[in-house]
Amino acid sequence: MRTSPARHEALDDFADEVRRDLALSPKQLQSKYFYDALGSCLFEAICRLPWYGITRAEQELLSRHADSILARFPAPTAVVELGCGSGEKLAILAEAGAKRGTVKQVQLIDISPTAIEASTRALRRFRQLSVVGHRTTYASGLRLVAEHRRDDAATLVLFLGSNIGNLDPPADEEFLSSIRATLRPRDGLLLGTDLVKPEPDLLAAYDDPLGVTAAFNRNVLVRINRELGGGFDLGAFEHRAIWNGEARRVEMHLVSTRDQKVRIPGARCTVSFRKDESIWTESSYKYEPHRVLALGARAGFTRWAQWVDPEARFALTLFGVEPTGGAMAPERETASAPPSR
Ligand code: AVI
């Protein structure tokens, strides 16, 4: 089978990063590598687990407040989703946008073709909507959106699902600043963030009794075995979720159950593990509503509204770009949703 130059490059990056990150102390792997075709399906399954409330809480907040969100944006508005997933959340906004007649275009930015295809399918029923998919990184997708935007259109960027939580500070603030830099006055950013909640709830969300999250975590080893010829014995690594209260993050690890050596020829390395040594595969930061507002302000946004589901402990925050330069603009009212379940 022939490999395209772009795919070749991606494989080289994967190999380089695997070699580099497994040489760190503690050993690490980047969570972006979870999302091959199988990993994306496992993540969709996680979103449906009763113990993982992020997706449901966000969908409920979106359904309840879609109209207030879109009321901020004139016609025509282009909605840009970073990390589009299944497209279900976008469909909620598209429905409200269709009723208002304001949303004319949707741009999907994701490195996963599976996600772009699923979102495109979910939006097919909105015939007035032009849907454009960019299979690329967030940074280059944002550049494309900025280059091709219509002069008369407003832009609403969606960064949902608490994807921001997978960025370690200061990358979270830098990323929001990079979004801010591509926007113009009266554009907006809708940010979904999971909130700090009791530790047992957090651990159940990241170590579910069905083992779906464990499979999602171990799948990164399956990917290394398949794409880089790695020799990981899946049975010799246990999934572990830890709440690090000081850093306000859930960490996922793969813990070696014995002393072992693993060859990864495609990454030109052999990695030694001691029993109980872990590979840190993901951080998922949790927030408090005021910290989300402060983060957005530091990135140059103005708070337009914030909705909190007090039961599921999830927040949707609508940030705007003010004509005078966001960070100094006066704050506006904060709206809280009543308990939803
Ligand atoms: C995509 N991201 C926001 C998820 C999270 O909650 O951090 C990924 C995930 N990891 C384990 N379960 C879900």
Side-chain angles (χ1 to χ4, degrees), residues 62-124:
L62 273 174
S63 303
R64 189 170 307 158
H65 302 291
D67 220 45
S68 323
I69 293 164
L70 293 176
R72 293 272 182 174
F73 300 90
T77 289
V79 175
V80 176
E81 183 163 25
L82 301 171
C84 53
S86 67
E88 282 171 61
K89 297 172 202 164
L90 205 46
I92 297 171
L93 276 181
E95 183 92 56
K99 282 194 195 121
R100 298 186 75 87
T102 48
V103 177
K104 302 291 179 199
Q105 195 193 47
V106 169
Q107 306 218 29
L108 310 165
I109 302 176
D110 207 302
I111 44 171
S112 155
T114 321
I116 292 186
E117 280 158 23
S119 293
T120 307
R121 264 198 311 277
L123 296 175
R124 203 167 281 156

Side-chain angles (χ1 to χ4, degrees), residues 103-302:
V103 177
K104 302 291 179 199
Q105 195 193 47
V106 169
Q107 306 218 29
L108 310 165
I109 302 176
D110 207 302
I111 44 171
S112 155
T114 321
I116 292 186
E117 280 158 23
S119 293
T120 307
R121 264 198 311 277
L123 296 175
R124 203 167 281 156
R125 64 197 158 98
F126 303 103
R127 302 201 176 281
Q128 86 291 357
L129 215 54
S130 122
V131 179
V132 183
H134 305 285
R135 189 191 161 190
T136 183
T137 60
Y138 294 154
S140 77
L142 281 168
R143 257 195 315 275
L144 284 172
V145 167
E147 276 164 25
H148 295 114
R149 70 178 285 172
R150 278 171 56 167
D151 274 347
D152 61 339
T155 298
L156 167 61
V157 174
L158 310 179
F159 195 40
L160 300 176
S162 208
N163 284 335
I164 184 91
N166 295 134
L167 299 177
D168 291 294
D172 52 354
E173 184 182 327
E174 286 164 6
F175 183 63
L176 292 191
S177 300
S178 74
I179 297 176
R180 168 68 185 78
T182 64
L183 297 181
R184 294 190 196 147
R186 282 180 278 276
D187 288 345
L189 165 69
L190 187 65
L191 184 67
T193 45
D194 199 16
L195 301 179
V196 173
K197 47 182 80 57
E199 183 169 345
D201 296 350
L202 286 166
L203 293 183
Y206 288 85
D207 192 4
D208 64 89
L210 279 178
V212 182
T213 312
F216 175 68
N217 197 8
R218 281 203 190 91
N219 180 51
V220 73
L221 304 183
V222 177
R223 184 170 181 181
I224 293 175
N225 286 355
R226 185 184 64 242
E227 295 186 21
L228 303 174
F232 279 105
D233 171 1
L234 300 185
F237 285 87
E238 259 169 21
H239 167 71
R240 189 166 300 162
I242 298 167
W243 169 239
N244 180 334
E246 209 176 309
R248 287 191 208 84
R249 67 182 180 222
V250 177
E251 296 172 5
M252 290 209 311
H253 294 263
L254 289 165
V255 183
S256 176
T257 58
R258 52 174 154 87
D259 288 350
Q260 55 182 317
K261 275 192 171 46
V262 179
R263 281 190 67 232
I264 313 175
R268 286 175 285 113
C269 62
T270 298
V271 188
S272 300
F273 292 89
R274 282 173 284 105
K275 182 175 179 325
D276 296 328
E277 187 177 2
S278 90
I279 312 174
W280 183 1
T281 52
E282 187 185 64
S283 292
S284 199
Y285 287 83
K286 305 301 165 188
Y287 302 83
E288 276 131 359
H290 71 277
R291 289 185 198 276
V292 179
L293 297 176
L295 179 64
R298 289 199 301 279
F301 284 103
T302 296

